[in-house]
Amino acid sequence: MRPVDALLRVLREEGVTKVFGNPGTTELPFLDALAGAADIEYVLGVHEGSVVAMADGYARATGRPAFVSLHVAAGLANGLVGLLNASRSRTPLVVTAGQQDRRHLVQDPMLSGDLVGLARAAVKHTFDVQHAHDLPVLLRRAFQLAVRPPAGPVFLSVPMDLLAEDTDVTLPARSTLAPPGVAGGVAEAARLLAGARRPAIVAGDGVGRDGAVAELVAVAEALGAVVHHQPMHDGVDFPGTHPLHAGALPPLNAAIRETLAAHDVVFIVGCHAFMPHHYTPGPAVPDSVTVVQLDSDSAEPGRNFPVALGMTGGIRATLARLAEALAGRVPRARQRIAAAAASHAARRAAADAAALAAYGPAPFDPLAAVHAVVAGLPEDAVVVEEAITSGVRLRSVLRLDRPGSLVHTVGGGLGSGIGAAVGHAMGRPERPVVAVLGDGCSLFGLQGLWSAARYGARATFVVMNNGEYRTLKETLDAWRSRATATGHYPGLDLATTRLDFTKAAEFFGVPAVRAKGLDGLTETVAKSALPSGPLLVDVPVTSHSSHR
């Protein structure tokens, strides 16, 4: 079997039916082989940033590693932001880049470079394939590593002449790996949690990735413990309308510490170190709190704060066993649930009232605009969020219960939203996708609209258009002292007049409309339930919200 044939065979056996890529000369042997492979589709993106974002969205939608083909050093460099996002969000990807022909690498040919060195800081693991007989083994290894906790992207540099070799290689059989089992320490965890007077849970994105939302609900109800999502969570890790759901923790150590200080025992599940955004002095967890931590990654428990008990194992399996161990042990659980329900219902009602009070003509208050979007969401919609300032307001009124209904990247590399929405629509075509995007974020990933049009993605792109980098202005205002505040924001305005995203969409072949009223915006979003192709909605919003 030739090396390139072995590559295709591994892809098929690993369940790959789509290759996300942007091709170049060093990938021509692979493209030639794909021409005869009707069962594997090449999904084209016109920029590598969009390519990796599409693969990320597709992997999350399908629950399987996505396969990415990039072009030599330049293409890999363009895709690095997406790989950084995938690493932070624990998305399994297998990524290849074609290296220049080895027979003239010594001459430093065009576009050649240290691909492994370039990728190393952005991915979980790298392989520099130098021998044809190693390619099948390393591909198998890459797919295994991509899903092994902590999941993430794995990179292989593959010289073009290696793929073109007419030599026989051996293909190792695919291995079947058992999922992680129940962590040790469940009995002790149950004792510590059942003895808490004011218990709380932090639901990390590992819960959603492991399909363990129902099991976490059972643990929370057995304790009567309020549940916070991790800061800027990437998915639905606890139902948003559940009486115990207390919202997401803010991405600041000081604010996290203030919230957790109200509790004596905190159970942290599948959460990567809180990842604060702006610096505030002091730890995220106060010394007075007893912490029980569960993660599938053995490096997490005790990583950034001391724990009374750290457990490593399968999140879903361990939570199920813990729920059994806690059943009937906390007599006050029902009282706690009732008290939390009243408090959280009042908070949600206040958020809705503030949004409704801000309704008005265009340009819209951003809180009112996102509220109008939420009001139109189809029941089975997937929300892709990359809106920064409007995104924070969106989360205050967004209450998603169904696992897999939210896609975000805590990685922070801008430009992922459009591509992620396209990839998710490909992976779950039966569910409508509504992407809520900032105008600045959209400009970083605008090329993804080309793929949305080409593949007829069932996605509605809602661009919150304020014509500026609003989040940076707000952060700069907070950082400046009153004595030095000038009201001048160098480099933070996108245009002297508001950008027209309908024209950008039409250039790429995506139908577009501009929202003229909030009722119309709700109606437009509701129509995303129809099995149609992509649509972009340009939503003019004000710079400041009347409610922060």
Side-chain angles (χ1 to χ4, degrees), residues 91-477:
T91 305
L93 304 176
V94 175
V95 184
T96 63
Q99 177 60 285
Q100 267 277 11
D101 192 307
R102 291 169 295 178
R103 291 169 294 187
H104 71 163
L105 269 180
V106 70
Q107 301 174 52
D108 195 22
M110 182 181 293
L111 295 175
S112 65
D114 182 4
L115 303 190
V116 166
L118 191 60
R120 184 174 288 117
V123 301
K124 178 180 178 180
H125 200 87
T126 60
F127 294 106
D128 188 5
V129 185
Q130 287 297 313
H131 303 286
H133 59 263
D134 289 337
L135 178 63
V137 175
L138 295 180
L139 280 168
R140 291 289 195 207
R141 196 176 298 175
F143 275 96
Q144 290 181 11
L145 283 171
V147 298
R148 187 176 300 163
V154 177
F155 174 77
L156 302 97
S157 169
V158 184
M160 67 178 297
D161 61 302
L162 184 149
L163 278 185
E165 284 185 18
D166 188 12
T167 184
D168 192 35
V169 299
T170 301
L171 180 69
R174 185 177 187 271
S175 300
T176 300
L177 304 180
V182 176
V186 170
E188 176 64 7
R191 184 189 71 79
L192 290 169
L193 294 169
R197 299 184 306 279
R198 300 179 306 280
I201 295 172
V202 178
D205 286 323
V207 175
R209 286 193 299 269
D210 211 34
V213 174
E215 288 75 12
L216 185 60
V217 168
V219 170
E221 290 178 347
L223 291 170
V226 297
V227 181
H228 295 276
H229 263 102
Q230 74 169 64
M232 301 308 296
H233 51 100
D234 278 356
V236 175
D237 306 310
F238 196 81
T241 62
H242 194 283
L244 290 171
H245 186 244
L249 293 171
L252 298 168
N253 276 2
I256 296 170
R257 185 171 63 250
E258 181 180 359
T259 301
L260 297 186
H263 305 281
D264 59 338
V265 180
V266 176
F267 183 31
I268 300 174
V269 188
C271 178
H272 174 51
F274 290 128
M275 289 185 290
H277 189 191
H278 302 296
Y279 170 77
T280 53
V285 180
D287 294 337
S288 59
V289 170
T290 297
V291 175
V292 178
Q293 188 172 8
L294 167 65
D295 208 284
S296 57
D297 179 5
S298 61
E300 283 302 326
R303 175 185 175 126
N304 280 2
F305 41 80
V307 298
L309 178 64
M311 300 185 291
T312 301
I315 291 176
R316 183 177 182 181
T318 304
L319 289 176
R321 185 71 58 84
L322 181 59
E324 294 174 359
L326 287 169
R329 290 183 61 173
V330 184
R332 295 190 56 203
R334 288 178 179 244
Q335 293 175 301
R336 291 171 177 170
I337 293 172
S343 173
H344 298 162
R347 173 179 55 81
R348 293 165 189 157
D352 287 335
L356 289 169
Y359 271 52
F364 312 114
D365 183 289
L367 177 60
V370 296
H371 187 271
V373 171
V374 170
L377 287 175
E379 184 177 355
D380 59 343
V382 175
V383 177
V384 176
E385 186 268 299
E386 193 192 20
I388 315 301
T389 23
S390 292
V392 172
R393 294 171 176 91
L394 173 70
R395 287 170 185 251
S396 72
V397 294
L398 183 65
R399 289 138 208 165
L400 298 173
D401 288 336
R402 185 175 175 180
S405 295
L406 177 66
V407 177
H408 172 71
T409 177
V410 76
L414 299 186
S416 68
I418 293 175
V422 175
H424 207 288
M426 289 181 175
R428 296 292 299 273
E430 75 281 5
R431 297 186 67 179
V433 175
V434 177
V436 182
L437 311 165
D439 50 0
C441 298
S442 298
L443 289 175
F444 274 87
L446 205 59
Q447 300 95 332
L449 293 177
W450 184 92
S451 298
R454 179 181 179 111
Y455 298 102
R458 188 185 178 190
T460 299
F461 305 98
V462 182
V463 181
M464 298 296 171
N465 187 352
N466 61 14
E468 61 184 1
Y469 293 139
R470 184 67 230 164
T471 187
L472 292 178
K473 288 185 177 181
E474 291 180 359
T475 305
L476 185 57
D477 284 342

